[in-house]
């Protein structure tokens, strides 16, 4: 039994653990000036992410902080925030992503504090809050609710206004009296007021900020168009005989506001599903956790709820079913299954019992467990993954940078084009001149152009992250799509660590099961890779029982094992050797078999007689051959460069069907071979283990670091594969090609939309409501097209289980242990 003691957290801690708290982030931004709070939303700049945060945060002069931004809608907003942050003394750098609405700020605490550069964001007309704060999720949900309410009000008012406007369109001359027409106009004006005052609020607010800051964003032309439409329609309502009294446009106003809000709301939802998937991964740690009180004992443990960032090494925490583990640690009580898909790429839940390690960010699926914390914060692998994802989410691909550069000049051109259209049409019809200008202002908004590239890239990065591939360099997706040559390292990529038992050759009269079980009994006494492979093969064949017991064991360095065994009833003793043929003093039973082999021999009347020869080979990944074949089908040439012996490299190459393979390569040899291929015009990708291939990975057009032991912080690769399947490399390449195709489709659609709609608007053939519909649909189509990239990767990992060696071949022959597996 245990007792949970309720505690009263401090106001800032309550804000961290209670999303419904009344504490507002703006009001408490000064709390972030506390140096001990800096690690909750950042880390020391230029520090190795594997190193712990220093006890005194001020020891690091420069900090990297990540914040979520509220109130931004476009690339022009992102540029405005970047300029506002960079203008603050002490801020050394700022990167803002319009697609994820996040910012990275590099600042020097001796000159500026977080509340000061956050205040600069507020002065620019936006709000910033810590990226890993519970408020970020709460505010995003509140923003979605407000957008939904505005959309509902706009839709209801639009239907009412259309009902009042319909008689003016359908009536024949003389059917409507002047009094009735005036009454319908006044009714439309009254119902349009909620649309202008409530639904259009965000557009007008953003436009006022633009005017006060002397800048141009994408909301400014839209707000001007809304205001012009409402003003000339109001003048026509109040003075039917005036300049603008011929026609009112309340129906057009409410319709294009409704269409714009529909597009914004759907775009917001789709963005949460696509680029927002990165944020969902980064914020998977619980805000608070139950920590055992220091004086409590195991029998009557007492727990208090504290913010996760308050945990320290040695704490014991209680993790409930369905919660994420808050830190790396060891289970001290209970057992469960854990979902470690993000950390290892393995989708199958793994069993975890007392004494087993659990990792931060993995989910506790079954039952309550108590965990002793071994590593917290930046020292966990989850923190390294989050660090990589945060950096990648703020990168701007080359095409996105180009779109950002043209966004502001394009908006200025839009304003000038609208003014020119109004001047051109003014002599013909004053009302039509103003509505043509409104149509130009609305239809030419470059939202789709600015979203075309980053939304697709970030959606692909989120999909890869959920499948076990981290994107360190977002630009790498573009480079990967054009790769035509893929270079593999051997050890740790095409092969697993260690050896595998491929076949065995029993001596005449010997049972394969008996000799494998006997060899495994000896092999379990050694840590040599060959011994481990024999022990594993016996375990997979369920040959665990043996009628013999160990008496004495001696391991000869470089040779093998010299062992005496005796029967269970101690009536028989046997002298055995396991190791090389020279160590066993026997000739090989199947010398024609290539590769490494291990002999088991017995001393009989002073002479050594062979019992069996085990044929070992490198543990080639079961899916490697199929992946290489599929790469060739997709037009990718595959090469193998390895520092291992040439003979071993050729054996693996022949087995996998690789025609271009070189062994005995030093890192400089690999780099030279890769540069030679690049000089011939090939786009080269490199797949290595990330440990000793640094220069080669850096020299490739794009690179993968493969393996669960990859040091994430030091890896120089563009992609880090956390899973254990080579198929992730193939699927990453195919997804990159799909991503670039989607980007081109988005850019083509955005360009075609503007090329067609702008002339139509200038000629007066596009009413304002249709312009609003076109603008909303253009942005929505871009985001929806990118959402197609969010589908999970179609992985089909081959079965790697070895077959039972006892039923593959007759006795006395070379018996294969697998059939195309290892």
């Amino acid at each position: 039994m245990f007792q949970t003691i309720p505690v009263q957290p401090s106001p800032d801690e309550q804000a961290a653990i209670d999303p419904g708290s009344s504490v507002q982030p703006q009001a408490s931004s000064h709390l972030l000036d506390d140096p001990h709070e800096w690690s909750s939303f950042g880390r020391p700049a230029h520090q190795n992410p594997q190193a712990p945060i220093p006890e005194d945060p001020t020891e690091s002069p420069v900090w990297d902080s990540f914040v979520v931004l509220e109130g931004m809608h476009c690339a022009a907003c992102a540029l405005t925030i970047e300029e506002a942050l960079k203008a603050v003394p002490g801020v050394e750098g700022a990167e803002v992503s319009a697609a994820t609405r996040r910012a990275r700020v590099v600042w020097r605490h001796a000159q500026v504090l977080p509340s000061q550069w956050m205040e600069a964001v507020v002065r620019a007309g936006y709000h910033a809050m810590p990226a890993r704060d519970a408020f970020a999720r709460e505010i995003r949900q509140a923003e979605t609710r407000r957008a939904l309410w505005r959309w509902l009000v706009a839709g209801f008012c639009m239907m009412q206004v259309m009902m009042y406007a319909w008689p003016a369109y359908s009536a024949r001359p003389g059917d409507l009296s002047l009094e009735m027409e005036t009454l319908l106009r006044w009714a439309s004006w009254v119902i349009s007021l909620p649309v202008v005052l409530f639904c259009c609020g965000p557009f007008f607010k953003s436009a006022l900020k633009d005017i006060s800051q002397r800048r141009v964003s994408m909301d400014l032309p839209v707000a001007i168009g809304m205001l012009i439409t409402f003003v000339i329609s109001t003048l026509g309502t109040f003075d039917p005989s005036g300049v603008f009294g011929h026609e009112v446009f309340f129906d057009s106003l409410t319709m294009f506001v409704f269409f714009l809000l529909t597009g914004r709301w759907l775009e917001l939802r789709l963005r949460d599903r696509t680029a927002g998937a990165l944020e969902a991964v980064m914020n998977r740690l619980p805000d608070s956790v139950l920590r055992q009180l220091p004086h409590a004992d195991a029998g009557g443990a007492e727990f208090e709820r504290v913010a996760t960032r308050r945990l320290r090494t040695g704490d014991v925490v209680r993790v409930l079913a369905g919660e994420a583990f808050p830190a790396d640690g060891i289970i001290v009580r209970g057992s469960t299954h854990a979902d470690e898909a993000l950390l290892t790429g393995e989708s199958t839940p793994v069993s975890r019992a007392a004494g087993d390690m659990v990792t931060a960010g993995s989910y506790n699926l079954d039952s309550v467990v108590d965990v002793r914390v071994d590593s917290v914060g930046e020292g966990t692998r989850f923190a390294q993954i989050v660090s990589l994802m945060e950096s990648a989410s703020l990168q701007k691909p080359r095409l996105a940078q180009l779109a950002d550069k043209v966004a502001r000049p394009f908006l200025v051109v839009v304003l000038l084009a609208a003014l020119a259209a109004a001047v051109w049409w003014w002599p013909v019809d004053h009302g039509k001149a103003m509505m043509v200008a409104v149509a130009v202002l609305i239809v030419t908004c470059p939202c789709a152009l600015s979203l075309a590239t980053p939304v697709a890239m970030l959606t692909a990065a989120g999909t890869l992250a959920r499948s076990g591939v981290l994107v360190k360099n977002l630009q790498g997706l573009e480079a990967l799509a054009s790769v035509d040559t893929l270079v593999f390292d051997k050890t740790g990529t095409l092969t697993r660590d260690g050896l595998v038992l491929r076949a065995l050759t029993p001596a005449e009269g010997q049972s394969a099961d008996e000799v494998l079980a006997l060899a495994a009994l000896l092999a379990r006494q050694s840590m040599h890779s060959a011994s481990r492979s024999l022990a594993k093969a016996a375990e997979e064949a369920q040959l665990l029982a043996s009628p013999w017991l160990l008496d004495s064991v001696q391991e000869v360095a470089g040779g093998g094992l010299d062992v005496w065994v005796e029967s269970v009833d101690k009536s028989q003793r046997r002298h055995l050797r396991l190791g090389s043929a020279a160590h066993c003093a026997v000739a090989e039973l199947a010398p024609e078999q290539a590769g490494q082999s291990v002999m088991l021999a017995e001393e009989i009347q002073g002479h050594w007689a062979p019992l069996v020869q085990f044929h070992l080979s490198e543990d080639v990944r079961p899916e490697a051959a199929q992946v290489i074949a599929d790469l060739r089908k997709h037009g990718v040439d595959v090469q193998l460069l390895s520092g291992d012996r040439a003979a071993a490299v050729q054996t693996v190459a022949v087995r996998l069907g690789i025609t271009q393979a070189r062994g005995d390569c030093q890192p400089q040899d690999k780099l030279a071979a890769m540069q030679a291929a690049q000089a011939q015009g090939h786009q080269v990708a490199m797949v290595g283990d990330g440990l000793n291939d640094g220069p080669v990975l850096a020299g490739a057009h794009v690179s993968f670091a493969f393996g669960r032991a990859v040091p994430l912080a030091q890896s120089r690769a563009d992609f880090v594969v956390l899973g254990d399947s080579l198929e992730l490399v193939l699927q990453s390449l195919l997804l990159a090609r799909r991503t670039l195709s989607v980007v081109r489709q988005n850019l083509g659609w955005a360009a075609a939309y503007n090329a067609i709609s702008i002339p139509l608007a200038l000629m007066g053939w596009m009413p304002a409501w249709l312009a609003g519909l076109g603008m909303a649909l253009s942005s929505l189509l871009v985001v929806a097209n990118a959402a197609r990239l969010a589908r999970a990767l179609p992985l089909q990992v081959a079965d790697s289980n070895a077959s039972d060696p006892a039923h593959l071949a007759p006795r006395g022959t070379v018996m294969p242990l697998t059939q195309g597996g290892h």
Side-chain angles (χ1 to χ4, degrees):
M1 297 293 294
F2 69 92
Q3 178 184 5
T4 301
I5 298 179
V7 295
Q8 185 64 39
S10 61
D12 59 323
E13 189 167 293
Q14 176 67 25
I17 66 177
D18 181 10
S21 169
S22 61
V23 181
Q24 298 299 316
Q26 293 84 2
S28 60
S29 62
H30 67 279
L31 297 174
L32 300 177
D33 292 343
D34 181 356
H36 294 287
E37 295 293 330
W38 297 347
S39 61
S40 67
F41 63 105
R43 59 179 178 271
H46 315 303
Q47 175 184 289
N48 176 2
Q50 288 183 315
I53 297 291
E55 288 293 331
D56 182 4
T58 59
E59 291 178 7
S60 177
V62 182
W63 276 74
D64 261 349
S65 294
F66 296 89
V67 293
V68 174
L69 300 163
E70 181 188 9
M72 65 178 296
H73 304 289
C74 61
C77 298
L79 293 175
T80 298
I81 296 173
E82 281 186 3
E83 292 172 357
L85 286 169
K86 290 177 180 178
V88 178
V91 173
E92 298 188 349
E95 297 174 343
V96 180
S97 169
T100 59
R101 303 183 184 183
R102 299 170 71 91
R104 170 178 175 258
V105 185
V106 183
W107 52 283
R108 191 173 291 273
H109 65 76
Q111 297 176 263
V112 67
L113 292 173
S115 63
Q116 295 171 314
W117 51 258
M118 284 186 178
E119 181 60 30
V121 176
V122 173
R123 289 196 300 271
Y126 308 90
H127 293 291
M129 65 205 75
R132 302 176 198 173
D133 200 304
F135 279 117
R137 295 189 294 273
E138 189 71 11
I139 288 177
R140 187 177 65 251
Q141 293 170 358
E143 181 182 0
T144 302
R145 286 194 296 269
R146 287 194 299 268
L148 181 59
W149 271 110
R150 290 191 179 97
W151 175 75
L152 290 172
V153 171
F156 176 78
C157 293
M158 177 196 69
M159 290 187 290
Q160 298 303 310
V161 171
M162 286 299 299
M163 183 177 65
Y164 294 135
W166 181 251
Y169 289 113
S170 60
R172 297 175 182 178
D175 286 353
L176 274 181
S177 64
L178 180 61
E179 290 80 6
M180 178 59 67
E181 185 175 358
T182 302
L183 178 62
L184 292 175
R185 288 188 177 188
W186 274 98
S188 297
W189 180 81
V190 171
I191 295 176
S192 297
L193 284 176
V195 176
V196 174
L197 299 177
F198 175 63
C199 302
C200 298
F203 299 100
F204 290 144
K205 183 179 178 181
S206 180
L208 288 174
K209 289 186 294 188
D210 290 344
I211 294 172
S212 65
Q213 300 283 337
R214 298 181 179 179
R215 69 185 185 219
V216 179
S217 74
M218 295 181 191
D219 279 347
L220 182 60
V222 174
I224 292 174
M226 293 174 177
L227 186 61
I228 290 174
T229 305
F230 182 71
V231 168
I232 64 174
S233 298
T234 300
L235 292 175
T237 300
F238 280 77
D239 185 11
S241 60
V243 175
F244 300 105
H246 175 67
E247 186 179 2
V248 294
F249 305 95
F250 293 116
D251 54 337
S252 293
L253 171 66
T254 53
M255 284 179 71
F256 77 67
V257 169
F258 174 73
F259 290 142
L260 288 177
L261 292 177
T262 300
R264 283 258 173 118
W265 184 70
L266 291 175
E267 179 188 327
L268 194 64
R269 295 296 303 273
L270 283 171
R271 197 193 298 244
D272 283 343
R273 287 179 52 194
T274 55
L278 288 172
E279 184 176 346
V281 170
M282 290 186 282
N283 288 323
R284 69 190 302 172
L285 289 188
D287 300 314
S288 64
V289 68
L290 291 171
R291 180 176 65 183
Q292 184 175 313
L293 295 174
H295 61 271
D297 56 24
E302 297 176 346
F303 291 78
E304 62 177 348
R305 183 163 289 278
V306 298
T308 299
R309 67 175 183 269
R310 302 294 186 189
L311 293 180
R312 295 293 181 266
T313 301
D315 287 346
V316 174
V317 298
R318 174 153 287 170
V319 183
L320 307 179
E323 285 186 343
F325 290 99
D328 292 349
I330 297 176
I331 296 179
V332 294
R333 279 186 294 276
S335 62
T336 186
H337 283 82
D339 177 3
E340 300 180 349
L342 171 69
L343 307 169
T344 66
E346 175 58 56
S347 59
T348 305
V350 292
S351 177
R352 292 288 181 259
D356 291 339
M357 285 286 300
V358 291
T359 52
S362 59
Y363 281 109
N364 176 18
L365 299 179
D366 294 342
S367 57
V368 178
V369 292
D370 292 348
V371 177
R372 186 181 68 248
V373 174
D374 282 351
S375 183
V376 296
E378 299 299 316
T380 64
R381 187 171 177 85
F382 175 76
Q384 298 172 43
I385 292 174
V386 168
S387 174
L388 295 184
M389 295 177 70
E390 282 180 326
S391 298
S393 69
L394 290 165
Q395 293 173 6
K396 292 183 180 178
R398 179 176 52 84
L399 294 174
Q401 293 175 4
L402 180 62
D404 287 354
K405 287 181 181 178
V406 303
R408 278 186 178 173
F410 184 81
L411 288 170
V412 174
V413 172
V414 167
L415 294 175
L416 295 176
L419 179 60
V423 171
W424 176 265
W425 283 95
W426 188 264
V428 179
D429 186 331
H430 299 341
K432 185 175 180 62
M434 300 307 294
M435 292 311 295
V436 167
V438 168
V440 173
L441 287 171
I442 295 172
V443 83
T444 52
C445 179
C447 291
L449 185 65
S450 66
L451 289 173
T453 299
V455 169
M457 293 285 192
L458 290 168
T459 301
T463 300
L464 289 174
R466 292 193 301 272
S467 301
V469 181
L470 295 184
V471 181
K472 289 190 66 177
N473 178 16
L474 211 56
Q475 188 66 39
L477 281 169
E478 186 177 346
L480 182 60
S482 58
V483 160
D484 59 15
T485 302
L486 195 60
V487 178
F488 282 99
D489 183 31
K490 180 177 68 68
T491 307
T493 52
L494 293 176
T495 64
R496 295 191 177 102
D497 295 333
L499 299 171
V500 64
L501 177 57
R502 174 173 49 87
L504 58 84
T505 305
E508 187 68 28
Q510 297 293 330
S511 165
D513 287 354
E514 291 179 3
V515 293
L516 179 56
L518 184 59
L521 177 66
L522 277 60
R524 295 188 189 100
Q525 313 310 310
S526 172
M527 293 302 295
H528 192 276
S529 58
S531 298
R532 290 202 303 269
S533 68
L534 295 179
K536 181 179 178 182
E539 181 180 350
E540 290 175 345
Q542 298 182 350
L543 300 175
L544 302 179
S546 174
W548 300 95
L549 301 175
L550 293 171
D551 184 23
S552 65
V553 179
Q554 180 182 2
E555 185 165 9
V556 180
L561 293 168
D562 191 299
V563 180
W564 282 90
V565 298
E566 60 182 8
S567 60
V568 176
D569 59 5
K570 302 187 182 299
S571 61
Q572 300 181 58
R573 296 184 79 236
R574 301 173 69 180
H575 188 193
L576 303 172
R577 284 181 180 176
L578 179 69
S580 64
H583 171 70
C584 296
V586 296
E588 294 185 357
L589 296 173
E592 72 280 1
Q593 289 290 312
Q596 186 174 345
S597 65
V598 173
M599 301 294 299
L600 176 64
E602 180 179 8
E603 185 182 13
I604 301 176
Q605 297 179 354
H607 300 283
W608 288 95
L611 300 179
V612 64
Q613 180 177 357
F614 298 103
H615 306 285
L616 308 178
S617 65
E618 291 187 275
D619 189 5
V620 178
R621 295 182 185 275
E623 74 280 4
Q626 186 61 50
V627 167
I628 290 170
D630 289 343
L631 285 169
R632 287 206 182 92
K633 288 179 184 177
H634 290 93
V636 179
D637 183 41
V638 178
Q639 299 181 17
L640 173 57
L641 299 176
S642 175
D644 204 351
R645 296 175 295 108
V649 172
Q650 288 300 326
T651 299
V652 172
V654 170
R655 187 171 176 182
L656 297 178
I658 300 176
T659 56
Q660 300 182 60
R662 286 177 54 188
D664 298 315
C665 290
Q666 299 296 321
Q668 57 268 28
D669 299 328
K670 296 181 184 180
L671 186 58
M674 184 179 301
Q675 290 172 341
Q678 291 172 334
Q680 295 173 6
H682 294 290
Q683 290 289 117
V684 182
M686 174 71 188
V687 183
D689 60 10
L691 298 173
N692 53 12
D693 294 320
V696 190
L697 294 176
H701 290 113
V702 62
S703 54
F704 288 83
F706 190 91
R708 297 183 180 180
V710 174
L712 300 180
Q714 286 82 9
S715 174
R716 302 175 68 178
D718 301 299
F719 299 85
V720 177
V721 181
L722 299 176
D724 201 33
S725 172
L726 276 178
E727 199 171 358
L728 288 169
V729 176
L730 169 65
Q731 294 299 336
S732 297
L733 184 142
L734 298 180
L735 182 63
R737 290 182 176 180
R738 286 173 50 208
T739 301
L740 200 60
S741 175
V742 166
V743 168
R744 288 168 178 161
Q745 292 168 10
N746 286 348
L747 290 174
W749 158 251
Y753 160 75
N754 282 286
I756 295 171
S757 60
I758 292 176
L760 292 177
L762 288 171
M763 289 186 291
W765 293 350
M766 180 175 285
W769 67 266
L770 185 57
L773 178 61
M775 173 190 168
L777 287 179
S778 65
S779 299
L780 191 59
L781 182 62
V782 163
V783 179
N785 195 29
R788 296 189 298 120
L789 299 170
R791 292 195 293 266
L793 300 183
L795 298 179
Q796 297 177 345
V797 180
D799 182 14
S800 61
N801 292 331
S803 302
D804 185 348
H807 308 286
L808 293 176
R811 299 292 187 261
T813 61
V814 177
M815 302 168 58
L817 264 290
T818 61
Q819 298 175 336
H822 297 116

